[in-house]
Amino acid sequence: MAASQVGREMLREGIRDFLLTESPPDLVRRQDEGKSPPLELLRQLGSLGYLGVGMPEKWGGSGDMVDVTIMMEELGRYNQGLAHLVGRTMYGLQLLVTVGTTEQQEMWIPRLLSGECVLAIGMTEPNAGSDAAAIQTRAVLEGDAWRVNGTKVFTSSAAYADVVLLAARTGSTSERHSGVTTFLADARSEGIQTSLIDTIGYWSVGVYEVRWTDVLVPVKSVLGDVGDGWRVLRGHLVRERLTIAARAVGAMTEILELAVKYAKEREQFGSAIASFQAVQHKLADIRIDLQIARSALYNLADQVVAGQADPTDAAVVKTFASEAWVRCADRGMQIFGGYGYTYEFPIQRHFRDSRVALVGGGTSEIMRNMIARRLIRSA
């Protein structure tokens, strides 16, 4: 086995051992039902150096996108709430490394790497979801600060975040993409109000509406160039969609384990339901989706490492993996029968959590638009 393979197996075993020890199923259930974010687990991962996976050596990091994928897959398998927080952290770290100023890097990177800092992303608005260029939240320059007014929705972690990656309009509405600027705003700034949005899943993370009323954001908080926010955000969509796919693959692994275990234990008509062909076919279908999704996932990760990743390929993998997660959760629920419809078993959490993967990071419809446009152009 090559040295890199040995290191990757050690990474997988290390993160798995950590999760089995520090994030057992009962804790995940309590965090979910109690709507309690896994902040202590995030700090523990930071103290152990896991949040530096994929980061440059300058910042004490190691590994590449394959290593990031391995970690996100294991996190998705054992704790989706924690996986979400880690994914957001890594997204922010990569933005800082590529477009952050020296001052921004020195201020935020060590805090994010330690797990002491939680990042929220303020992009979606009531009238700007898939059409992100329709952002209306406005930032107006006043001396050495930007005054921000507007409303964001579906901002996960907002109530307990330390920093918000904010997209706001600094140009005219006619400029659309070129009139948007990104900021790293202090989440505790005066004028920011959050209110929880009731959702069917991801209860431990929390999703919020955030109102920005005359919030002053220092000029030094601009991430990238003024008016160039769309390029800043788009530059890392491949990585974001890859991590979403990795979390889906991890989740499907647990779904299969839960379903097989239950099918072998549950008896009906004098036999374990695992002996029934209808159940066997559902288990087989979960395995088929899982294997195809995992193969596509790691192929994409290898392309990222080689510098050959195509946004269309990322859209394909993200769409397939997220939709496969939904399919597998549905099959798992059916195998559990009536018990799957209760909160007694964790399969219901996958059923609830999986649905957001068809929306977050780009809806399945937008992904298909991208794929189709590429096909038509290349033809």
Side-chain angles (χ1 to χ4, degrees), residues 103-182:
E103 183 178 1
Q104 289 169 345
Q105 291 175 347
E106 292 176 350
M107 179 178 183
W108 293 113
I109 287 180
R111 296 176 62 189
L112 287 166
L113 285 174
S114 71
E116 298 290 337
C117 179
V118 174
L119 174 77
I121 298 180
M123 183 185 300
T124 305
E125 298 182 3
N127 295 310
S130 295
D131 184 10
I135 286 172
Q136 296 178 6
T137 294
R138 177 161 291 280
V140 178
L141 183 61
E142 296 182 1
D144 60 353
W146 293 84
R147 186 179 296 275
V148 180
N149 284 279
T151 300
K152 297 291 182 179
V153 291
F154 305 123
T155 305
S156 56
S157 309
Y160 53 89
D162 300 280
V163 59
V164 180
L165 175 62
L166 173 70
R169 185 160 296 285
T170 52
S172 68
T173 54
S174 62
E175 293 180 87
R176 289 180 62 78
H177 295 102
S178 61
V180 175
T181 300
T182 49

Side-chain angles (χ1 to χ4, degrees), residues 255 259 262 266 273 278-279 282 286 327-341 347-348 351:
I255 288 170
Y262 183 81
R266 174 69 168 167
I273 63 173
V279 173
K282 285 181 174 59
I286 295 173
R327 289 193 297 269
C328 292
D330 184 70
R331 293 172 186 134
M333 286 279 285
Q334 194 67 16
I335 290 170
F336 273 77
Y339 286 110
Y341 201 61
I347 191 68
Q348 50 77 26
F351 188 76

Side-chain angles (χ1 to χ4, degrees), residues 310-337:
D310 185 286
T312 306
D313 293 332
V316 169
V317 175
K318 188 267 180 186
T319 303
F320 182 83
S322 58
E323 293 183 355
W325 183 11
V326 173
R327 289 193 297 269
C328 292
D330 184 70
R331 293 172 186 134
M333 286 279 285
Q334 194 67 16
I335 290 170
F336 273 77

Side-chain angles (χ1 to χ4, degrees), residues 35-70:
K35 298 183 178 180
S36 175
L39 299 180
E40 180 56 33
L41 290 174
L42 183 68
R43 287 189 283 268
Q44 287 179 266
L45 285 176
S47 68
L48 294 171
Y50 283 115
L51 299 181
V53 173
M55 284 287 286
E57 291 184 9
K58 172 185 176 181
W59 296 103
S62 62
D64 53 30
M65 202 60 201
V66 174
D67 299 285
V68 171
T69 303
I70 289 170

Side-chain angles (χ1 to χ4, degrees), residues 12 33 42 53 71 146 174 184 195 226 233 297 320:
R12 188 182 293 278
E33 294 178 353
L42 183 68
V53 173
M71 188 167 78
W146 293 84
S174 62
L184 286 171
S195 56
V226 174
L233 295 170
L297 172 68
F320 182 83

